[in-house]
């Protein structure tokens, strides 16, 4: 299974390496202000944010200009090169499976990035992200709204609805010992890119809770 997952990942990363310039041009001006606001309301000024799968660097730039400290990473070497130039700071070339920090980040922003992780390894990846958050840290993630695992246009997608996210999170928490992620917001939006408003996205915001603070989801 993991070998098959790695091949899916390689094909997706190859797509972004080959189409980095067009992708950056097509996404940098997308208005994510409302969704970013829903994430940032849970963070304090000067919080440390991991932009996991930063793509063009659009959101990292906004966070930096808003006074947050940012670590940006992406799995595509060419996307990292272009985003580094755009941000004026190094973007780390790392895959989600290589995230091994423990209790470092106040927030993790995974906008339209985890959707490329094959379903069979998605819970383990989510567990890694939870582990990288401080107690009370916040994770944002988005997925195309649906129930399919599919390949389209050279990329692999894991689509999720609300019940799919709940199942993935339950499986992720089986990997955890002292902590879990409490879903605090789960909402559906249209695509903000021009001409694609009919496409729907599942957005989730979760807060890490540890030890005796573990409780039931608010949603």
């Amino acid at each position: 299974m993991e070998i098959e997952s790695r091949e899916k990942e390689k094909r997706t990363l190859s797509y972004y390496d080959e189409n980095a310039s067009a992708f950056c041009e097509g996404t940098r001006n997308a208005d994510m202000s409302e969704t970013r606001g829903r994430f940032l309301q849970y963070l304090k000024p000067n919080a440390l944010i991991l932009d996991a799968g930063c793509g063009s660097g659009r959101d990292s730039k906004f966070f930096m200009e808003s006074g947050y400290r940012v670590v940006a990473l992406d799995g595509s070497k060419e996307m990292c090169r272009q985003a580094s130039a755009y941000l004026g700071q190094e973007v780390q070339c790392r895959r989600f499976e290589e995230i091994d920090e423990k209790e470092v980040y106040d927030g993790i922003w995974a906008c339209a990035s985890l959707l490329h992780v094959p379903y069979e390894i998605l819970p383990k990846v989510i567990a890694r992200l939870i582990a990288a958050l401080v107690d009370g840290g916040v994770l944002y993630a988005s997925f195309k709204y649906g129930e399919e695992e599919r390949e389209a246009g050279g990329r692999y997608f894991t689509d999720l609805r609300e019940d799919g996210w709940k199942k993935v999170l339950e499986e992720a928490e089986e990997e955890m010992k002292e902590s879990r992620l409490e879903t605090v917001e789960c909402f559906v939006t249209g695509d903000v890119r021009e001409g694609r408003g009919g496409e729907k996205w599942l957005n989730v915001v979760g807060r890490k809770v540890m030890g005796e603070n573990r409780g039931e989801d608010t949603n």
Side-chain angles (χ1 to χ4, degrees), residues 105-149:
Y105 303 105
D106 301 300
I108 296 178
W109 175 262
C111 180
S113 55
L114 289 174
L115 81 175
H116 292 311
V117 177
Y119 186 89
E120 59 264 29
I121 63 172
L122 184 57
K124 289 184 178 180
V125 167
I126 295 291
R128 283 180 174 269
L129 297 180
I130 296 172
L133 286 169
V134 301
D135 187 12
V138 177
L139 168 70
Y140 166 80
S142 59
F143 301 85
K144 286 183 180 289
Y145 195 71
E147 299 175 311
E148 292 184 272
E149 295 176 67

mmCIF file of all heavy atoms in Angstrom, residues 105-149:
data_model
loop_
_atom_site.group_PDB
_atom_site.id
_atom_site.type_symbol
_atom_site.label_atom_id
_atom_site.label_comp_id
_atom_site.label_asym_id
_atom_site.label_seq_id
_atom_site.Cartn_x
_atom_site.Cartn_y
_atom_site.Cartn_z
ATOM 1 N N TYR A 105 4.492 24.199 16.673
ATOM 2 C CA TYR A 105 3.730 25.227 15.975
ATOM 3 C C TYR A 105 2.452 25.615 16.704
ATOM 4 O O TYR A 105 1.735 24.766 17.240
ATOM 5 C CB TYR A 105 3.397 24.758 14.554
ATOM 6 C CG TYR A 105 4.620 24.400 13.753
ATOM 7 C CD1 TYR A 105 4.952 23.073 13.507
ATOM 8 C CD2 TYR A 105 5.457 25.398 13.271
ATOM 9 C CE1 TYR A 105 6.094 22.744 12.788
ATOM 10 C CE2 TYR A 105 6.604 25.082 12.552
ATOM 11 C CZ TYR A 105 6.913 23.748 12.320
ATOM 12 O OH TYR A 105 8.054 23.424 11.614
ATOM 13 N N ASP A 106 2.162 26.914 16.702
ATOM 14 C CA ASP A 106 0.897 27.402 17.256
ATOM 15 C C ASP A 106 -0.253 27.138 16.283
ATOM 16 O O ASP A 106 -1.401 26.961 16.701
ATOM 17 C CB ASP A 106 0.990 28.912 17.520
ATOM 18 C CG ASP A 106 2.107 29.250 18.496
ATOM 19 O OD1 ASP A 106 2.066 28.763 19.640
ATOM 20 O OD2 ASP A 106 3.034 29.994 18.102
ATOM 21 N N GLY A 107 0.054 27.141 14.998
ATOM 22 C CA GLY A 107 -0.958 26.889 13.984
ATOM 23 C C GLY A 107 -0.355 26.186 12.787
ATOM 24 O O GLY A 107 0.821 26.399 12.463
ATOM 25 N N ILE A 108 -1.133 25.340 12.154
ATOM 26 C CA ILE A 108 -0.723 24.698 10.898
ATOM 27 C C ILE A 108 -1.808 24.990 9.864
ATOM 28 O O ILE A 108 -2.988 24.699 10.082
ATOM 29 C CB ILE A 108 -0.523 23.186 11.048
ATOM 30 C CG1 ILE A 108 0.635 22.897 12.017
ATOM 31 C CG2 ILE A 108 -0.247 22.539 9.680
ATOM 32 C CD1 ILE A 108 0.875 21.413 12.268
ATOM 33 N N TRP A 109 -1.380 25.567 8.750
ATOM 34 C CA TRP A 109 -2.274 25.927 7.644
ATOM 35 C C TRP A 109 -1.998 24.962 6.508
ATOM 36 O O TRP A 109 -0.922 24.977 5.915
ATOM 37 C CB TRP A 109 -1.989 27.364 7.229
ATOM 38 C CG TRP A 109 -2.712 27.890 6.039
ATOM 39 C CD1 TRP A 109 -2.235 27.968 4.758
ATOM 40 C CD2 TRP A 109 -4.039 28.470 5.997
ATOM 41 N NE1 TRP A 109 -3.153 28.555 3.935
ATOM 42 C CE2 TRP A 109 -4.270 28.866 4.669
ATOM 43 C CE3 TRP A 109 -5.024 28.680 6.956
ATOM 44 C CZ2 TRP A 109 -5.466 29.471 4.278
ATOM 45 C CZ3 TRP A 109 -6.219 29.274 6.564
ATOM 46 C CH2 TRP A 109 -6.433 29.666 5.247
ATOM 47 N N ALA A 110 -2.958 24.091 6.210
ATOM 48 C CA ALA A 110 -2.808 23.103 5.134
ATOM 49 C C ALA A 110 -3.934 23.336 4.131
ATOM 50 O O ALA A 110 -4.917 22.590 4.077
ATOM 51 C CB ALA A 110 -2.845 21.683 5.694
ATOM 52 N N CYS A 111 -3.777 24.394 3.349
ATOM 53 C CA CYS A 111 -4.809 24.819 2.417
ATOM 54 C C CYS A 111 -4.647 24.099 1.082
ATOM 55 O O CYS A 111 -3.637 24.276 0.399
ATOM 56 C CB CYS A 111 -4.724 26.333 2.227
ATOM 57 S SG CYS A 111 -5.955 27.003 1.102
ATOM 58 N N ALA A 112 -5.639 23.289 0.721
ATOM 59 C CA ALA A 112 -5.625 22.581 -0.569
ATOM 60 C C ALA A 112 -4.331 21.808 -0.774
ATOM 61 O O ALA A 112 -3.785 21.786 -1.877
ATOM 62 C CB ALA A 112 -5.851 23.556 -1.719
ATOM 63 N N SER A 113 -3.833 21.180 0.275
ATOM 64 C CA SER A 113 -2.588 20.422 0.169
ATOM 65 C C SER A 113 -2.760 18.978 0.648
ATOM 66 O O SER A 113 -2.346 18.044 -0.048
ATOM 67 C CB SER A 113 -1.462 21.111 0.951
ATOM 68 O OG SER A 113 -1.826 21.334 2.294
ATOM 69 N N LEU A 114 -3.394 18.786 1.790
ATOM 70 C CA LEU A 114 -3.613 17.423 2.287
ATOM 71 C C LEU A 114 -4.519 16.629 1.355
ATOM 72 O O LEU A 114 -4.520 15.398 1.396
ATOM 73 C CB LEU A 114 -4.230 17.459 3.691
ATOM 74 C CG LEU A 114 -3.318 17.926 4.823
ATOM 75 C CD1 LEU A 114 -4.107 18.047 6.118
ATOM 76 C CD2 LEU A 114 -2.140 16.975 5.007
ATOM 77 N N LEU A 115 -5.268 17.315 0.505
ATOM 78 C CA LEU A 115 -6.153 16.618 -0.438
ATOM 79 C C LEU A 115 -5.378 15.751 -1.430
ATOM 80 O O LEU A 115 -5.966 14.892 -2.091
ATOM 81 C CB LEU A 115 -7.042 17.613 -1.184
ATOM 82 C CG LEU A 115 -6.511 18.378 -2.391
ATOM 83 C CD1 LEU A 115 -7.637 19.208 -3.000
ATOM 84 C CD2 LEU A 115 -5.332 19.234 -2.103
ATOM 85 N N HIS A 116 -4.063 15.963 -1.532
ATOM 86 C CA HIS A 116 -3.252 15.141 -2.431
ATOM 87 C C HIS A 116 -2.647 13.914 -1.726
ATOM 88 O O HIS A 116 -1.965 13.114 -2.370
ATOM 89 C CB HIS A 116 -2.116 15.969 -3.028
ATOM 90 C CG HIS A 116 -2.581 17.034 -3.972
ATOM 91 N ND1 HIS A 116 -3.473 16.795 -5.002
ATOM 92 C CD2 HIS A 116 -2.278 18.359 -4.048
ATOM 93 C CE1 HIS A 116 -3.696 17.914 -5.660
ATOM 94 N NE2 HIS A 116 -2.984 18.880 -5.100
ATOM 95 N N VAL A 117 -2.881 13.775 -0.429
ATOM 96 C CA VAL A 117 -2.362 12.625 0.310
ATOM 97 C C VAL A 117 -3.299 11.435 0.108
ATOM 98 O O VAL A 117 -4.504 11.554 0.377
ATOM 99 C CB VAL A 117 -2.238 12.941 1.810
ATOM 100 C CG1 VAL A 117 -1.766 11.713 2.584
ATOM 101 C CG2 VAL A 117 -1.275 14.107 2.032
ATOM 102 N N PRO A 118 -2.797 10.282 -0.360
ATOM 103 C CA PRO A 118 -3.656 9.110 -0.533
ATOM 104 C C PRO A 118 -4.369 8.741 0.765
ATOM 105 O O PRO A 118 -3.789 8.851 1.861
ATOM 106 C CB PRO A 118 -2.670 8.017 -0.961
ATOM 107 C CG PRO A 118 -1.568 8.769 -1.649
ATOM 108 C CD PRO A 118 -1.431 10.034 -0.861
ATOM 109 N N TYR A 119 -5.612 8.304 0.648
ATOM 110 C CA TYR A 119 -6.435 8.074 1.831
ATOM 111 C C TYR A 119 -5.792 7.093 2.805
ATOM 112 O O TYR A 119 -5.900 7.269 4.023
ATOM 113 C CB TYR A 119 -7.818 7.555 1.420
ATOM 114 C CG TYR A 119 -8.770 7.434 2.585
ATOM 115 C CD1 TYR A 119 -9.566 8.518 2.959
ATOM 116 C CD2 TYR A 119 -8.857 6.255 3.334
ATOM 117 C CE1 TYR A 119 -10.421 8.431 4.037
ATOM 118 C CE2 TYR A 119 -9.710 6.169 4.422
ATOM 119 C CZ TYR A 119 -10.492 7.254 4.771
ATOM 120 O OH TYR A 119 -11.335 7.169 5.857
ATOM 121 N N GLU A 120 -5.113 6.077 2.277
ATOM 122 C CA GLU A 120 -4.584 5.041 3.161
ATOM 123 C C GLU A 120 -3.514 5.548 4.109
ATOM 124 O O GLU A 120 -3.278 4.937 5.157
ATOM 125 C CB GLU A 120 -4.057 3.840 2.361
ATOM 126 C CG GLU A 120 -2.956 4.159 1.366
ATOM 127 C CD GLU A 120 -3.483 4.369 -0.044
ATOM 128 O OE1 GLU A 120 -4.648 4.815 -0.175
ATOM 129 O OE2 GLU A 120 -2.746 4.083 -0.995
ATOM 130 N N ILE A 121 -2.871 6.667 3.782
ATOM 131 C CA ILE A 121 -1.858 7.204 4.692
ATOM 132 C C ILE A 121 -2.265 8.550 5.290
ATOM 133 O O ILE A 121 -1.540 9.107 6.112
ATOM 134 C CB ILE A 121 -0.477 7.329 4.008
ATOM 135 C CG1 ILE A 121 -0.523 8.323 2.841
ATOM 136 C CG2 ILE A 121 0.038 5.969 3.559
ATOM 137 C CD1 ILE A 121 0.854 8.628 2.273
ATOM 138 N N LEU A 122 -3.436 9.065 4.903
ATOM 139 C CA LEU A 122 -3.872 10.370 5.402
ATOM 140 C C LEU A 122 -3.982 10.414 6.929
ATOM 141 O O LEU A 122 -3.537 11.394 7.540
ATOM 142 C CB LEU A 122 -5.197 10.760 4.740
ATOM 143 C CG LEU A 122 -5.752 12.139 5.089
ATOM 144 C CD1 LEU A 122 -4.762 13.250 4.767
ATOM 145 C CD2 LEU A 122 -7.079 12.378 4.340
ATOM 146 N N PRO A 123 -4.563 9.393 7.598
ATOM 147 C CA PRO A 123 -4.633 9.458 9.061
ATOM 148 C C PRO A 123 -3.255 9.573 9.725
ATOM 149 O O PRO A 123 -3.100 10.322 10.700
ATOM 150 C CB PRO A 123 -5.323 8.137 9.447
ATOM 151 C CG PRO A 123 -6.145 7.795 8.247
ATOM 152 C CD PRO A 123 -5.299 8.217 7.081
ATOM 153 N N LYS A 124 -2.252 8.886 9.207
ATOM 154 C CA LYS A 124 -0.907 8.969 9.776
ATOM 155 C C LYS A 124 -0.320 10.369 9.581
ATOM 156 O O LYS A 124 0.381 10.883 10.448
ATOM 157 C CB LYS A 124 0.007 7.916 9.154
ATOM 158 C CG LYS A 124 -0.321 6.495 9.577
ATOM 159 C CD LYS A 124 0.683 5.501 9.011
ATOM 160 C CE LYS A 124 0.369 4.083 9.496
ATOM 161 N NZ LYS A 124 1.336 3.090 8.970
ATOM 162 N N VAL A 125 -0.593 10.966 8.427
ATOM 163 C CA VAL A 125 -0.114 12.316 8.166
ATOM 164 C C VAL A 125 -0.792 13.311 9.108
ATOM 165 O O VAL A 125 -0.136 14.189 9.695
ATOM 166 C CB VAL A 125 -0.362 12.702 6.696
ATOM 167 C CG1 VAL A 125 -0.159 14.208 6.495
ATOM 168 C CG2 VAL A 125 0.580 11.927 5.785
ATOM 169 N N ILE A 126 -2.096 13.174 9.288
ATOM 170 C CA ILE A 126 -2.822 14.045 10.212
ATOM 171 C C ILE A 126 -2.248 13.898 11.623
ATOM 172 O O ILE A 126 -2.074 14.892 12.349
ATOM 173 C CB ILE A 126 -4.325 13.717 10.213
ATOM 174 C CG1 ILE A 126 -4.957 14.011 8.846
ATOM 175 C CG2 ILE A 126 -5.044 14.493 11.318
ATOM 176 C CD1 ILE A 126 -5.052 15.460 8.492
ATOM 177 N N ALA A 127 -1.936 12.671 12.022
ATOM 178 C CA ALA A 127 -1.358 12.435 13.349
ATOM 179 C C ALA A 127 -0.024 13.162 13.504
ATOM 180 O O ALA A 127 0.282 13.706 14.579
ATOM 181 C CB ALA A 127 -1.183 10.937 13.593
ATOM 182 N N ARG A 128 0.773 13.178 12.443
ATOM 183 C CA ARG A 128 2.053 13.904 12.483
ATOM 184 C C ARG A 128 1.823 15.406 12.681
ATOM 185 O O ARG A 128 2.548 16.067 13.437
ATOM 186 C CB ARG A 128 2.841 13.673 11.192
ATOM 187 C CG ARG A 128 3.528 12.308 11.106
ATOM 188 C CD ARG A 128 4.292 12.173 9.802
ATOM 189 N NE ARG A 128 5.066 10.938 9.785
ATOM 190 C CZ ARG A 128 6.322 10.824 10.204
ATOM 191 N NH1 ARG A 128 6.953 11.906 10.664
ATOM 192 N NH2 ARG A 128 6.958 9.668 10.166
ATOM 193 N N LEU A 129 0.819 15.940 12.003
ATOM 194 C CA LEU A 129 0.527 17.357 12.130
ATOM 195 C C LEU A 129 0.038 17.687 13.537
ATOM 196 O O LEU A 129 0.429 18.708 14.121
ATOM 197 C CB LEU A 129 -0.504 17.786 11.087
ATOM 198 C CG LEU A 129 -0.081 17.649 9.618
ATOM 199 C CD1 LEU A 129 -1.211 18.118 8.705
ATOM 200 C CD2 LEU A 129 1.184 18.433 9.330
ATOM 201 N N ILE A 130 -0.814 16.842 14.083
ATOM 202 C CA ILE A 130 -1.292 17.056 15.450
ATOM 203 C C ILE A 130 -0.119 17.054 16.420
ATOM 204 O O ILE A 130 -0.019 17.899 17.315
ATOM 205 C CB ILE A 130 -2.329 15.981 15.841
ATOM 206 C CG1 ILE A 130 -3.576 16.081 14.958
ATOM 207 C CG2 ILE A 130 -2.717 16.129 17.319
ATOM 208 C CD1 ILE A 130 -4.564 14.939 15.149
ATOM 209 N N ALA A 131 0.795 16.102 16.237
ATOM 210 C CA ALA A 131 1.960 16.007 17.117
ATOM 211 C C ALA A 131 2.826 17.262 17.034
ATOM 212 O O ALA A 131 3.465 17.653 18.021
ATOM 213 C CB ALA A 131 2.783 14.772 16.768
ATOM 214 N N ALA A 132 2.856 17.907 15.868
ATOM 215 C CA ALA A 132 3.702 19.087 15.675
ATOM 216 C C ALA A 132 3.110 20.349 16.292
ATOM 217 O O ALA A 132 3.805 21.354 16.451
ATOM 218 C CB ALA A 132 3.949 19.318 14.181
ATOM 219 N N LEU A 133 1.821 20.304 16.669
ATOM 220 C CA LEU A 133 1.173 21.454 17.291
ATOM 221 C C LEU A 133 1.440 21.505 18.792
ATOM 222 O O LEU A 133 1.527 20.462 19.450
ATOM 223 C CB LEU A 133 -0.345 21.383 17.086
ATOM 224 C CG LEU A 133 -0.892 21.701 15.696
ATOM 225 C CD1 LEU A 133 -2.371 21.322 15.619
ATOM 226 C CD2 LEU A 133 -0.713 23.188 15.366
ATOM 227 N N VAL A 134 1.526 22.715 19.323
ATOM 228 C CA VAL A 134 1.559 22.879 20.772
ATOM 229 C C VAL A 134 0.172 22.554 21.323
ATOM 230 O O VAL A 134 -0.813 22.498 20.579
ATOM 231 C CB VAL A 134 1.973 24.307 21.172
ATOM 232 C CG1 VAL A 134 3.353 24.641 20.623
ATOM 233 C CG2 VAL A 134 0.941 25.335 20.688
ATOM 234 N N ASP A 135 0.076 22.355 22.633
ATOM 235 C CA ASP A 135 -1.220 22.170 23.278
ATOM 236 C C ASP A 135 -2.073 23.408 23.022
ATOM 237 O O ASP A 135 -1.643 24.544 23.258
ATOM 238 C CB ASP A 135 -1.017 21.961 24.785
ATOM 239 C CG ASP A 135 -2.308 21.594 25.495
ATOM 240 O OD1 ASP A 135 -3.307 21.281 24.811
ATOM 241 O OD2 ASP A 135 -2.320 21.629 26.743
ATOM 242 N N GLY A 136 -3.258 23.214 22.486
ATOM 243 C CA GLY A 136 -4.116 24.339 22.123
ATOM 244 C C GLY A 136 -3.863 24.881 20.732
ATOM 245 O O GLY A 136 -4.551 25.802 20.290
ATOM 246 N N GLY A 137 -2.867 24.316 20.029
ATOM 247 C CA GLY A 137 -2.563 24.741 18.670
ATOM 248 C C GLY A 137 -3.701 24.411 17.715
ATOM 249 O O GLY A 137 -4.533 23.541 17.978
ATOM 250 N N VAL A 138 -3.721 25.107 16.572
ATOM 251 C CA VAL A 138 -4.857 25.025 15.654
ATOM 252 C C VAL A 138 -4.414 24.541 14.275
ATOM 253 O O VAL A 138 -3.404 24.996 13.730
ATOM 254 C CB VAL A 138 -5.531 26.409 15.519
ATOM 255 C CG1 VAL A 138 -6.664 26.366 14.510
ATOM 256 C CG2 VAL A 138 -6.069 26.864 16.874
ATOM 257 N N LEU A 139 -5.180 23.600 13.715
ATOM 258 C CA LEU A 139 -4.953 23.085 12.366
ATOM 259 C C LEU A 139 -6.093 23.503 11.460
ATOM 260 O O LEU A 139 -7.269 23.351 11.815
ATOM 261 C CB LEU A 139 -4.873 21.558 12.387
ATOM 262 C CG LEU A 139 -4.912 20.845 11.020
ATOM 263 C CD1 LEU A 139 -3.625 21.101 10.237
ATOM 264 C CD2 LEU A 139 -5.147 19.346 11.186
ATOM 265 N N TYR A 140 -5.751 24.045 10.280
ATOM 266 C CA TYR A 140 -6.729 24.275 9.225
ATOM 267 C C TYR A 140 -6.391 23.374 8.055
ATOM 268 O O TYR A 140 -5.217 23.248 7.664
ATOM 269 C CB TYR A 140 -6.731 25.730 8.734
ATOM 270 C CG TYR A 140 -7.489 25.901 7.431
ATOM 271 C CD1 TYR A 140 -8.877 25.974 7.427
ATOM 272 C CD2 TYR A 140 -6.824 25.915 6.208
ATOM 273 C CE1 TYR A 140 -9.583 26.078 6.232
ATOM 274 C CE2 TYR A 140 -7.516 26.024 5.009
ATOM 275 C CZ TYR A 140 -8.900 26.103 5.026
ATOM 276 O OH TYR A 140 -9.595 26.185 3.839
ATOM 277 N N ALA A 141 -7.404 22.734 7.469
ATOM 278 C CA ALA A 141 -7.197 21.899 6.282
ATOM 279 C C ALA A 141 -8.409 22.025 5.371
ATOM 280 O O ALA A 141 -9.522 22.300 5.835
ATOM 281 C CB ALA A 141 -6.979 20.443 6.671
ATOM 282 N N SER A 142 -8.196 21.832 4.072
ATOM 283 C CA SER A 142 -9.309 21.885 3.127
ATOM 284 C C SER A 142 -9.177 20.778 2.095
ATOM 285 O O SER A 142 -8.069 20.384 1.710
ATOM 286 C CB SER A 142 -9.376 23.253 2.440
ATOM 287 O OG SER A 142 -8.178 23.546 1.746
ATOM 288 N N PHE A 143 -10.337 20.285 1.677
ATOM 289 C CA PHE A 143 -10.431 19.190 0.710
ATOM 290 C C PHE A 143 -11.541 19.507 -0.282
ATOM 291 O O PHE A 143 -12.536 20.151 0.070
ATOM 292 C CB PHE A 143 -10.778 17.867 1.414
ATOM 293 C CG PHE A 143 -9.804 17.439 2.466
ATOM 294 C CD1 PHE A 143 -9.901 17.928 3.762
ATOM 295 C CD2 PHE A 143 -8.779 16.553 2.164
ATOM 296 C CE1 PHE A 143 -9.001 17.540 4.751
ATOM 297 C CE2 PHE A 143 -7.872 16.156 3.137
ATOM 298 C CZ PHE A 143 -7.982 16.652 4.435
ATOM 299 N N LYS A 144 -11.388 19.035 -1.500
ATOM 300 C CA LYS A 144 -12.504 19.138 -2.437
ATOM 301 C C LYS A 144 -13.667 18.311 -1.887
ATOM 302 O O LYS A 144 -13.473 17.231 -1.332
ATOM 303 C CB LYS A 144 -12.086 18.643 -3.828
ATOM 304 C CG LYS A 144 -11.176 19.642 -4.556
ATOM 305 C CD LYS A 144 -10.831 19.164 -5.952
ATOM 306 C CE LYS A 144 -9.927 20.152 -6.680
ATOM 307 N NZ LYS A 144 -10.642 21.387 -7.062
ATOM 308 N N TYR A 145 -14.863 18.852 -2.019
ATOM 309 C CA TYR A 145 -16.031 18.269 -1.364
ATOM 310 C C TYR A 145 -16.547 17.070 -2.153
ATOM 311 O O TYR A 145 -17.010 17.208 -3.289
ATOM 312 C CB TYR A 145 -17.127 19.318 -1.240
ATOM 313 C CG TYR A 145 -18.227 18.953 -0.270
ATOM 314 C CD1 TYR A 145 -17.994 18.940 1.091
ATOM 315 C CD2 TYR A 145 -19.495 18.624 -0.729
ATOM 316 C CE1 TYR A 145 -18.997 18.619 1.991
ATOM 317 C CE2 TYR A 145 -20.511 18.294 0.159
ATOM 318 C CZ TYR A 145 -20.258 18.294 1.522
ATOM 319 O OH TYR A 145 -21.251 17.965 2.413
ATOM 320 N N GLY A 146 -16.433 15.884 -1.567
ATOM 321 C CA GLY A 146 -16.881 14.670 -2.239
ATOM 322 C C GLY A 146 -16.469 13.437 -1.473
ATOM 323 O O GLY A 146 -16.030 13.509 -0.319
ATOM 324 N N GLU A 147 -16.570 12.294 -2.115
ATOM 325 C CA GLU A 147 -16.277 11.026 -1.452
ATOM 326 C C GLU A 147 -15.356 10.137 -2.288
ATOM 327 O O GLU A 147 -15.237 8.946 -2.019
ATOM 328 C CB GLU A 147 -17.583 10.279 -1.169
ATOM 329 C CG GLU A 147 -18.531 11.033 -0.257
ATOM 330 C CD GLU A 147 -19.877 10.341 -0.080
ATOM 331 O OE1 GLU A 147 -20.478 9.960 -1.099
ATOM 332 O OE2 GLU A 147 -20.300 10.184 1.079
ATOM 333 N N GLU A 148 -14.697 10.705 -3.264
ATOM 334 C CA GLU A 148 -13.892 9.915 -4.185
ATOM 335 C C GLU A 148 -12.410 9.942 -3.837
ATOM 336 O O GLU A 148 -11.911 10.891 -3.241
ATOM 337 C CB GLU A 148 -14.036 10.453 -5.611
ATOM 338 C CG GLU A 148 -15.387 10.270 -6.237
ATOM 339 C CD GLU A 148 -15.376 10.749 -7.679
ATOM 340 O OE1 GLU A 148 -15.622 11.946 -7.913
ATOM 341 O OE2 GLU A 148 -15.104 9.922 -8.565
ATOM 342 N N GLU A 149 -11.728 8.885 -4.250
ATOM 343 C CA GLU A 149 -10.279 8.884 -4.383
ATOM 344 C C GLU A 149 -10.044 8.778 -5.880
ATOM 345 O O GLU A 149 -10.509 7.837 -6.514
ATOM 346 C CB GLU A 149 -9.657 7.698 -3.658
ATOM 347 C CG GLU A 149 -9.848 7.727 -2.148
ATOM 348 C CD GLU A 149 -9.300 6.479 -1.491
ATOM 349 O OE1 GLU A 149 -8.067 6.288 -1.515
ATOM 350 O OE2 GLU A 149 -10.102 5.676 -0.991
#
